[in-house]
């Protein structure tokens, strides 16, 4: 799993985010598959990763043989919640492109995620929604 952004070491504003100021908000790359095998070829793009686009079925716009691994995404979120609980925290919110939620929740781990009580956003502005098809955002909170 790969962290895209968290916060500055000393905290404070992290352009262009409203969150990501104290280490409690983290962006994670979406795990991907190419021809049904784990694929990492797009994982070292840095900030350019935010420019990747995927359709509502999770297919990469420039190469449909590359797709989002929805089952692993759901497992990652569930594992993050488990690790957070062990550290006196929990997931407050998951931000993911709302057009991808059906695909996410249709997987084995997605069904568990849907029943877990972890809040996955229901609505986003079109701009925020459009930039969350290549990564997901987690807000953690102290319990």
């Amino acid at each position: 799993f790969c962290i895209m952004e968290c916060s500055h070491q000393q905290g404070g504003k992290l352009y262009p985010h409203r969150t990501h100021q104290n280490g409690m908000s983290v962006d994670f790359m979406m795990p991907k598959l190419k021809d049904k095998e784990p694929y990492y070829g797009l994982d070292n793009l840095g900030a350019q990763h935010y420019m990747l686009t995927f359709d509502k079925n999770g297919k990469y716009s420039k190469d449909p043989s590359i797709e989002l691994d929805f089952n692993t995404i759901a497992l990652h979120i569930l594992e993050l919640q488990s690790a957070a609980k062990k550290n006196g925290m929990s997931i407050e919110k998951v931000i993911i492109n709302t057009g991808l939620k059906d695909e996410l929740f249709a997987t084995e781990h997605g069904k568990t995620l849907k029943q877990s009580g972890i809040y996955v956003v229901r609505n986003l502005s079109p701009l925020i929604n459009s930039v969350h098809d290549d990564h997901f955002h987690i807000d953690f909170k102290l319990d």
Side-chain angles (χ1 to χ4, degrees), residues 21-36:
Q21 295 186 32
N22 63 4
M24 300 289 277
S25 299
V26 185
D27 288 343
F28 294 94
M29 277 185 198
M30 300 266 208
K32 289 168 280 310
L33 301 170
K34 181 172 179 136
D35 300 320
K36 307 298 180 194

Side-chain angles (χ1 to χ4, degrees), residues 30-39 42 54-55 57-61 63-70 73 103:
M30 300 266 208
K32 289 168 280 310
L33 301 170
K34 181 172 179 136
D35 300 320
K36 307 298 180 194
E37 295 292 324
Y39 179 70
L42 299 172
F54 293 82
D55 69 17
N57 297 312
K59 304 278 186 194
Y60 180 42
S61 62
D63 181 352
S65 70
I66 299 170
E67 61 187 322
L68 300 176
D69 183 352
F70 290 107
I73 294 165
E103 296 289 327

Side-chain angles (χ1 to χ4, degrees), residues 57-121:
N57 297 312
K59 304 278 186 194
Y60 180 42
S61 62
K62 293 186 179 176
D63 181 352
S65 70
I66 299 170
E67 61 187 322
L68 300 176
D69 183 352
F70 290 107
N71 197 46
T72 302
I73 294 165
L75 176 61
H76 187 195
I77 295 168
L78 292 166
E79 290 296 321
L80 287 167
Q81 176 75 328
S82 177
K85 289 286 187 189
K86 291 176 184 172
N87 290 282
M89 302 172 72
S90 62
I91 292 176
E92 180 174 19
K93 173 175 45 180
V94 176
I95 298 175
I96 189 170
N97 184 294
T98 58
L100 301 174
K101 286 173 50 176
D102 288 344
E103 296 289 327
L104 178 68
F105 291 144
T107 66
E108 174 189 353
H109 293 298
K111 291 173 186 167
T112 304
L113 175 61
K114 189 172 185 174
Q115 298 301 314
S116 71
I118 296 171
Y119 176 70
V120 180
V121 294

Side-chain angles (χ1 to χ4, degrees), residues 18 93-99 101 119-133 135 137:
R18 283 183 279 159
K93 173 175 45 180
V94 176
I95 298 175
I96 189 170
N97 184 294
T98 58
K101 286 173 50 176
Y119 176 70
V120 180
V121 294
R122 293 180 180 91
N123 298 301
L124 294 169
S125 72
L127 174 63
I128 300 301
N129 205 41
S130 71
V131 298
H132 284 89
D133 62 342
H135 73 284
H137 170 106

